[in-house]
């Protein structure tokens, strides 16, 4: 299925100059939703890992169905102040601003093999911050999988050395 037909471009959201890739139009379409999950999952076939890590909020949309289908645990990464237990945090810049993400300090144990799942790779700031949190807790990042990659923002350059895959590229 050609999912690009279901992506809606929104100009100047959330800031002037940004072309926002709206995936709600994929999620609304039953075939689009199913195919987008399946195409991301195909990228993990045969890979051995323990957990899927996904960031709030769009990373949850794809991270949980992939974890469920592959019978893995899901570890949520949240914006600051949302997780109830003790946390480790990291601040970073993304395409349209800055943010701080957090994980529970006991989410990952040394030796855990992790896959990062998110809807979109732009500058890579969010993903780089997740990689650093995971590695500081002793985990290894086996792969990063996205539905969309904005290649012109060169997010892969700050993820050099890691396996990165995306279903759609712009
Ligand atoms: O590669 P980057 O430049 O870091 O940008 C990508 C991130 O930006 C978006 O999340 P956002 O922080 O807007 O949160 P949301 O999912 O709650 O909309 C997107 O879902 C990625 O997580
Ligand atoms: N252009 C964009 N569209 C949708 N989500 C994004 N996250 C970062 N940049 C984005």
């Amino acid at each position: 299925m050609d999912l690009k037909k279901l992506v809606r471009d929104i100009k100047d959201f959330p800031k002037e100059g940004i072309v926002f890739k709206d995936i709600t139009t994929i999620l609304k379409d039953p075939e689009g939703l199913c195919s987008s999950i399946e195409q991301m999952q195909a990228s993990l076939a045969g890979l051995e890992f323990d957990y899927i890590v996904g960031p709030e909020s769009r990373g949850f949309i794809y991270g949980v169905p992939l974890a469920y289908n592959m019978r893995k645990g899901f570890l949520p990464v949240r914006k600051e102040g949302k997780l109830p237990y003790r946390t480790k945090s990291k601040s970073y810049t993304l395409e349209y601003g800055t943010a701080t993400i957090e994980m529970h300090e006991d989410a990952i144990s040394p030796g855990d093999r992790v896959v990062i799942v998110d809807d979109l790779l732009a500058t890579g700031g969010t993903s780089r911050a997740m990689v650093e949190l995971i590695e500081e807790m002793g985990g290894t990042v086996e792969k990063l999988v996205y539905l969309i990659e904005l290649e012109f923002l060169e997010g892969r350059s700050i993820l050099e050395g890691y396996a990165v895959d995306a279903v759609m590229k712009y």
Side-chain angles (χ1 to χ4, degrees):
M1 182 174 190
D2 181 10
L3 291 168
K4 280 194 173 178
K5 287 187 190 135
L6 291 174
V7 177
R8 178 163 63 178
D9 281 1
I10 310 288
K11 287 204 181 70
D12 297 325
F13 180 88
K15 282 185 174 170
E16 218 182 302
I18 304 289
V19 179
F20 192 88
K21 295 289 180 198
D22 179 15
I23 59 155
T24 64
T25 35
I26 294 180
L27 302 174
K28 182 179 175 182
D29 185 287
E31 294 308 320
L33 176 59
C34 205
S35 178
S36 56
I37 292 167
E38 284 172 1
Q39 290 188 53
M40 289 175 84
Q41 194 172 324
S43 155
L44 297 176
L47 188 73
E48 292 196 3
F49 63 98
D50 304 301
Y51 297 106
I52 287 183
V53 166
E56 176 180 357
S57 58
R58 283 171 275 153
F60 292 178
I61 294 172
Y62 283 101
V64 170
L66 291 190
Y68 178 86
N69 284 346
M70 303 188 84
R71 218 167 174 81
K72 306 291 181 189
F74 177 77
L75 306 176
V77 173
R78 295 214 63 181
K79 302 275 168 33
E80 66 180 330
K82 296 287 187 181
L83 285 170
Y85 185 57
R86 289 201 298 269
T87 58
K88 277 184 158 291
S89 62
K90 203 56 85 180
S91 297
Y92 59 98
T93 58
L94 69 163
E95 195 187 3
Y96 36 67
T98 59
T100 301
I101 48 167
E102 296 185 333
M103 290 182 78
H104 277 150
E105 65 174 23
D106 62 352
I108 287 169
S109 302
D112 284 345
R113 299 162 303 176
V114 165
V115 166
I116 290 174
V117 169
D118 203 356
D119 71 317
L120 187 139
L121 174 64
T123 65
T126 309
S127 293
R128 182 76 226 172
M130 289 190 282
V131 166
E132 287 174 12
L133 279 178
I134 291 161
E135 291 182 348
E136 282 168 19
M137 287 188 262
T140 58
V141 176
E142 303 298 323
K143 193 162 189 175
L144 302 96
V145 181
Y146 306 89
L147 183 60
I148 295 173
E149 176 180 1
L150 303 182
E151 284 184 306
F152 55 92
L153 292 173
E154 297 177 352
R156 278 181 195 246
S157 63
I158 59 166
L159 298 169
E160 219 179 293
Y162 295 91
V164 175
D165 202 8
V167 171
M168 285 176 273
K169 296 176 185 190
Y170 291 90

